[in-house]
Amino acid sequence: GAGVSQTPSNKVTEKGKYVELRCDPISGHTALYWYRQSLGQGPEFLIYFQGTGAADDSGLPNDRFFAVRPEGSVSTLKIQRTERGDSAVYLCASSLGAGVGDTQYFGPGTRLTVL
Amino acid sequence: AQSVTQLDSQVPVFEEAPVELRCNYSSSVSVYLFWYVQYPNQGLQLLLKYLSGSTLVKGINGFEAEFNKSQTSFHLRKPSVHISDTAEYFCASYEGKTGGSYIPTFGRGTSLIVHP
């Protein structure tokens, strides 16, 4: 079956612009996670959804970052007034449930470059 | 806050040699430890996980890891590596939070480079 997909694969934008990154999880997965991976670092948790609601957004760095999952499937990560420090690979993962034993399946990521 | 340390940023090894990738975690009441692999241009993939029970955990592709509570370690091992094992390996610790979520903290990763 299809895995987690993310679009676009690459996004180049200018400082100050608004960007949206999309994640299509595996069908039937109720939990969806967003991570940010900077160069030379491991993934850093941003936010997680259980169904349509954000169950934990403690990793969002500031109020320029926002994510939605209106129908409990596709999710969009939105970044306002982008800064050069936002440049990173943004990863999405989904799992059947949100328990620690539920395997997270990762997408290939969106590489965001802010000029 | 939990933390995960991967002591080696890069590990070069010859094909068919054994390898150990080191991971240490900060002590916590409940410890759930994972290893992920990231092949070039692909997403992270779960290799193995320790939730409870036997401290020796076996995963995919011949990898195994041992949970050592006294040394707060979860080192990854493989007795004989292949060229195809060349990838980035991430250790992660999951912490249970109020509300029932489990949020991971990842190490910085270890690049395993297998030479012919």
Side-chain angles (χ1 to χ4, degrees):
Chain A
V4 177
S5 63
Q6 293 185 246
T7 53
S9 55
N10 278 284
K11 176 71 177 178
V12 180
T13 191
E14 293 179 344
K15 181 175 176 297
K17 299 289 188 183
Y18 167 83
V19 296
E20 289 189 352
L21 311 179
R22 176 188 167 108
C23 172
D24 278 88
I26 292 173
S27 178
H29 281 193
T30 63
L32 185 147
Y33 302 77
W34 283 100
Y35 300 89
R36 178 170 67 176
Q37 187 174 15
S38 301
L39 194 62
Q41 304 292 324
E44 174 191 12
F45 168 77
L46 295 177
I47 184 171
Y48 123 77
F49 289 87
Q50 180 62 45
T52 60
D56 190 326
D57 65 356
S58 61
L60 294 177
N62 51 60
D63 60 6
R64 295 187 298 104
F65 288 75
F66 189 71
V68 295
R69 195 186 185 199
E71 297 178 358
S73 179
V74 171
S75 176
T76 305
L77 179 66
K78 309 181 182 198
I79 310 174
Q80 299 177 321
R81 305 183 304 280
T82 51
E83 300 177 356
R84 291 195 179 87
D86 299 333
S87 295
V89 176
Y90 289 81
L91 301 173
C92 175
S94 71
S95 57
L96 267 177
V100 69
D102 290 298
T103 298
Q104 292 187 25
Y105 295 86
F106 285 78
T110 293
R111 182 176 299 278
L112 175 66
T113 303
V114 182
L115 301 176
Chain B
Q2 59 181 340
S3 67
V4 174
T5 303
Q6 291 184 244
L7 298 166
D8 306 298
S9 59
Q10 205 171 81
V11 173
V13 64
F14 286 107
E15 193 173 20
E16 296 183 9
V19 71
E20 179 179 82
L21 306 184
R22 297 181 292 170
C23 173
N24 287 85
Y25 63 93
S26 61
S27 181
S28 179
V29 175
S30 297
V31 178
Y32 308 105
L33 297 163
F34 292 60
W35 275 98
Y36 289 89
V37 60
Q38 187 173 31
Y39 297 106
N41 300 316
Q42 294 187 30
L44 274 79
Q45 178 182 354
L46 179 66
L47 264 181
L48 48 80
K49 60 188 175 187
Y50 170 77
L51 302 182
S52 64
S54 173
T55 57
L56 183 62
V57 181
K58 294 190 183 297
I60 63 172
N61 301 340
F63 283 93
E64 64 180 31
E66 185 154 22
F67 170 60
N68 189 318
K69 188 174 182 179
S70 63
Q71 297 185 6
T72 61
S73 68
F74 190 56
H75 300 333
L76 181 71
R77 296 191 293 257
K78 185 169 182 177
S80 176
V81 295
H82 298 238
I83 295 284
S84 59
D85 292 323
T86 294
E88 193 80 16
Y89 291 80
F90 293 94
C91 182
S93 169
Y94 280 65
E95 180 181 30
K97 300 184 72 176
T98 305
S101 61
Y102 291 89
I103 303 304
T105 297
F106 285 84
R108 296 181 65 170
T110 296
S111 179
L112 176 63
I113 303 168
V114 182
H115 297 288

